Amino acid sequence: MDHTKQEGEYGYELFPHRNMGKNKQGSIAEGQFTFNHKCQIMLQFAMETSPYAKLLLSAMKNSGCKLFKDRHFSCEDCDGTVSGGFDASSSQIVLCQNNIRQQSHMNRVVTHELVHAFDHCRADVDWFNNLRHLACSEIRAANLSGDCSFSTEAARFNFGLKQHHQDCVRGRAIRSILAVRKIGQEEAEKIVNEVFNTCFNDHAPFGRIPHSKKDANFAYRDYENRDRYYSNL
């Protein structure tokens, strides 16, 4: 499929550098260079220290989809409404250097987009034509990345009791779809609801919902030690 045909329908307008088709090296302003340098440092730190990112990177490597920092990650200026994205046409994760200012935010964005990359690796995801596939990956990314953890939601002054985590995941998945597809609120809600239970309960490769960094550390430890368990049987 020629993805350039209707790029406005796939959210590419949110990532101007994706549309330029060329790099303006030599004309980058000093401020942009500073953003890019900070973005690169925070990305490296996330890849080396975040248990969420480390588990996903390890799982992708074991699935035959090893990621390389210089090839598969790109720090770019984006529209002010987004923090990152996964470009399926180039298998590249975009990090919005002008919108990510804190390491905790970078860790969540990297993890969120790595979930999409993991889904792209392990399954035949039709990102451009099947909205249910897109919705499923958005549900998983919101559920497993820490986007809806208690601490993250508390920082947004969002508090709830029963089903708050599920409501957060559902809402973020709907908003993500609306940002990159020209469909209405009602249709987006319908698509998310149709696949919600199945995709919400798909915790691969974590094996559980990592509600906190502690949970993610346990999941990473279990994933790295998985072969030892079988060898002792």
Side-chain angles (χ1 to χ4, degrees), residues 153-165:
E153 281 289 271
R156 300 181 184 124
F157 299 101
N158 291 332
F159 301 96
L161 297 174
K162 187 177 181 181
Q163 301 291 311
H164 180 74
H165 180 77

Side-chain angles (χ1 to χ4, degrees), residues 200-217:
F200 182 82
N201 290 308
D202 180 1
H203 304 149
F206 289 89
R208 70 191 80 182
I209 299 175
H211 289 289
S212 64
K213 186 176 180 180
K214 182 178 180 180
D215 287 344
N217 270 313

Side-chain angles (χ1 to χ4, degrees), residues 65 86 88-89 91 115-125 127 137:
C65 300
F86 177 68
S89 64
S91 298
V115 173
H116 292 321
F118 176 77
D119 289 346
H120 187 68
C121 172
R122 69 166 181 161
D124 186 18
V125 181
W127 299 98
S137 193

